[in-house]
Amino acid sequence: MPENTDKTIQELVKEWLELDQNEATRKEIQDLSDNEDYNELEKRLRHRIAFGTAGLRSSMQAGFAHLNPLTIIQASQGLASYVISSSSTSTQTSQLSVIIGHDHRHNSSTFAKLTATAFILKGIKVYFLEDLVHTPLVPFGLNLLGSNAGVMITASHNPARDNGYKVYWGNGCQIIPPVDAGIAAAINENLIPVEGAWDTNILDREEGGLVEKVKGKVEEAYFERVKGMVEGMAVKGEEKVRFVYTPMHGVGLEPAKQVVRILGVEDGVVVVEEQAKPDPDFPTVKFPNPEEKGALDLAMATADKHDITIVLANDPDADRFAAAEKVDGKWQILTGNQLGVLFASHMISTSSLPTSEVALLSSAVSTQMLAAMGQIDGFHHEETLTGFKWLGNIAQQITARGTHKAVYAFEEAIGYMFSDVVHDKDGIAALSVFITMLKKWTAEGTTPAGKLQQLYEKYGFFESCNGYVVSPSPDVTKRVFDGIRKLGDGSGKKYPGSLGEKEITYWRDLTEGYDSATTNGVPVLPVDKSSQMITVGMDGVRFTIRGSGTEPKIKYYVEAKASGKEEAAKAAKTVADNIVKEWFKPEVHGLVVQS
């Protein structure tokens, strides 16, 4: 969306008050103006919220820079316009359709209704998921109903003050370039709310047959699909499994109940009651993200009370999945990479296809163990850029080629995709598969930790050391990366010759567009000069450093492979420390080190 650089702050206040018909958000801006709080008004009004490949995500406040009823209407009018202009049936707009869902966050229902209204007013049919749903139901329903696009109102595991506007395209995947840029441009051209844009009662009037409430239909088909997937993984016998489950104050409990009924394990599940009901304030956790320190403490305490050694969790919109196991009296939270390879091993062992015809995917910052498994077991492995927008789209492309079927993909941020259900991460599908794994391991007399040990002994021990530093600005982040690249100047290479005591044997720079392993030096993965991302290979170690697209962070993902766990962990930690000390140079650039 265009920046408001050529207007005075008084002009921006006037523009906001002319456009916004929501009493609460109008009052926010009016009060700031009356109090002459120009610093806050500059933050709220000067820059417009940016539309990117994840759609929109921000705190819920008045102003062009945040999510609120007006910016939701603007985004929806633009998206609706783009759907029409990009469709081959644009002259018959009544044939176009969109599916819209929402979670339980503050304002999610209102934002979903305003979104639906914008599409109806454009003559586009709305399939409305009229109650709380978990995020994967939108891409699933999009494919089921043959829609042109989908919108899910959710901020996933962000803090309570945030919300988001997640967009899927007609193939059931998150949007990627150039669609994202096209939608952003269309939003710029549709900033004035049209007549009726604020009247969400149009959904109840269902004028012209443009509204169909479909939650029941879509859910029924979704769980039939999940059931078909896990039935193909079933083990013989009636092994009993016990675990504690938490939906983390989100929408996961109802779909999780469906899963345990399908798998016949109702008697073995204990729910964390304090976190069972949807609560947009997330009162028992500092951050509603199972990856955050302390987020699973209540679930583990519940498990201890019931003498249970397994904890399973979804994040609030249930598109991510987490697990923990009590081993030798101590709780261990499985990392996203550990879960990723456990799922991968299970998918290969239960696939009805020859292994040589199966493809499994992972993102560039995820473990290299999946690639090692592919080399030994013979399945095709492919690496993508970070994010399920890439994993989902590339998986579809691989399957469309006809030589392999992409059945599964994951990335280290506890996201797991099962292609037979949706081409996006799905915490409920992951829950269902993990339960089948628990039943299988119980029959074999092992546990998640035991199965991991078996995999390490077969494929090698892979240990990670990930972290980040906080950067004061994008300019500083660029300066850090440019400084790293210049370390290679003295050796005549395009990249540094070493880090610490280790020689660099591989270098891929997806910002500058260089890959030392390709014959022409051009990377296979897409190059993006607007973001910073470098991947480095050394003896037994590989790491990626990148600038975060959503936070003021420079992240590092280090992984080492060795013949033992401790050796691999030590090697990864040493390289991580060297990255921060020798390359990031916090004291030079004013970076704040985090672990």
Side-chain angles (χ1 to χ4, degrees), residues 276-333:
K277 295 180 180 179
D279 188 331
D281 293 316
F282 310 109
T284 68
V285 288
K286 187 176 181 181
F287 295 104
N289 181 354
E291 289 184 291
E292 291 287 342
K293 186 177 181 180
L296 293 179
D297 285 357
L298 195 55
M300 292 186 290
T302 302
D304 287 337
K305 287 180 185 176
H306 292 83
D307 195 27
I308 292 174
T309 60
I310 299 289
V311 162
L312 307 181
N314 289 124
D315 67 340
D317 70 327
D319 66 348
R320 286 177 169 85
F321 171 81
E325 179 184 4
K326 197 169 190 178
V327 181
D328 298 328
K330 184 178 179 181
W331 280 102
Q332 297 180 8
I333 298 174

Side-chain angles (χ1 to χ4, degrees), residues 478-542:
K478 184 178 186 302
R479 193 153 59 242
V480 169
F481 277 85
D482 287 345
I484 294 168
R485 294 180 180 104
K486 289 177 181 177
L487 293 173
D489 291 348
S491 63
K493 292 183 176 180
K494 292 179 177 286
Y495 54 91
S498 62
L499 174 65
E501 298 180 356
K502 284 186 172 289
E503 179 186 357
I504 291 174
T505 57
Y506 172 70
W507 183 273
R508 182 180 66 198
D509 187 337
L510 293 179
T511 307
E512 297 295 316
Y514 177 74
D515 191 325
S516 66
T518 61
T519 54
N520 59 1
V522 177
V524 175
L525 295 181
V527 173
D528 183 357
K529 293 189 178 297
S530 68
S531 62
Q532 300 288 341
M533 185 168 178
I534 293 172
T535 298
V536 178
M538 302 183 292
D539 181 30
V541 179
R542 173 176 152 134

Side-chain angles (χ1 to χ4, degrees), residues 213-257:
K213 295 178 180 178
V214 294
K215 185 190 176 193
K217 178 197 298 187
V218 174
E219 277 190 333
E220 181 179 357
Y222 172 84
F223 287 109
E224 278 299 312
R225 187 76 58 83
V226 170
K227 181 180 179 182
M229 177 179 68
V230 294
E231 281 181 343
M233 303 172 179
V235 293
K236 294 180 180 179
E238 296 297 324
E239 290 75 17
K240 300 293 183 183
V241 296
R242 298 180 71 216
F243 59 89
V244 164
Y245 171 76
T246 175
M248 203 71 70
H249 296 297
V251 299
L253 183 58
E254 290 307 314
K257 285 180 178 178

Side-chain angles (χ1 to χ4, degrees), residues 326-561:
K326 197 169 190 178
V327 181
D328 298 328
K330 184 178 179 181
W331 280 102
Q332 297 180 8
I333 298 174
L334 279 74
T335 68
N337 283 329
Q338 289 171 335
L339 284 168
V341 297
L342 285 171
F343 280 126
S345 174
H346 187 68
M347 294 299 288
I348 289 297
S349 67
T350 59
S351 175
S352 60
L353 295 171
T355 303
S356 60
E357 296 178 13
V358 173
L360 276 63
L361 292 79
S362 57
S363 69
V365 299
S366 302
T367 179
Q368 289 298 291
M369 189 169 174
L370 190 62
M373 292 168 68
Q375 290 172 356
I376 292 173
D377 292 344
F379 62 81
H380 175 70
H381 169 256
E382 196 151 325
E383 184 179 81
T384 75
L385 295 179
T386 54
F388 277 85
K389 58 182 176 287
W390 297 110
L391 289 164
N393 278 282
I394 299 300
Q396 287 191 351
Q397 292 171 19
I398 290 171
T399 299
R401 291 200 293 261
T403 55
H404 300 88
K405 180 182 178 183
V407 299
Y408 166 75
F410 83 95
E411 66 176 7
E412 52 79 38
I414 59 171
Y416 311 98
M417 179 187 92
F418 302 89
S419 301
D420 283 347
V421 182
V422 291
H423 282 92
D424 197 26
K425 59 184 177 289
D426 185 345
I428 297 300
L431 174 67
S432 70
V433 175
F434 196 85
I435 294 171
T436 70
M437 290 156 63
L438 283 177
K439 295 176 79 170
K440 186 170 186 283
W441 296 332
T442 301
E444 296 169 351
T446 190
T447 68
K451 183 62 178 179
L452 266 176
Q453 185 66 23
Q454 293 174 18
L455 296 179
Y456 288 144
E457 290 171 357
K458 180 177 180 180
Y459 304 108
F461 287 82
F462 291 76
E463 289 292 324
S464 299
C465 185
N466 302 337
Y468 64 89
V469 295
V470 177
S471 173
S473 72
D475 288 340
V476 171
T477 297
K478 184 178 186 302
R479 193 153 59 242
V480 169
F481 277 85
D482 287 345
I484 294 168
R485 294 180 180 104
K486 289 177 181 177
L487 293 173
D489 291 348
S491 63
K493 292 183 176 180
K494 292 179 177 286
Y495 54 91
S498 62
L499 174 65
E501 298 180 356
K502 284 186 172 289
E503 179 186 357
I504 291 174
T505 57
Y506 172 70
W507 183 273
R508 182 180 66 198
D509 187 337
L510 293 179
T511 307
E512 297 295 316
Y514 177 74
D515 191 325
S516 66
T518 61
T519 54
N520 59 1
V522 177
V524 175
L525 295 181
V527 173
D528 183 357
K529 293 189 178 297
S530 68
S531 62
Q532 300 288 341
M533 185 168 178
I534 293 172
T535 298
V536 178
M538 302 183 292
D539 181 30
V541 179
R542 173 176 152 134
F543 67 85
T544 292
I545 54 176
R546 70 182 185 95
S548 172
T550 57
E551 303 167 292
K553 297 176 180 179
I554 304 175
K555 298 183 176 183
Y556 57 86
Y557 308 80
V558 184
E559 184 176 60
K561 178 186 178 183

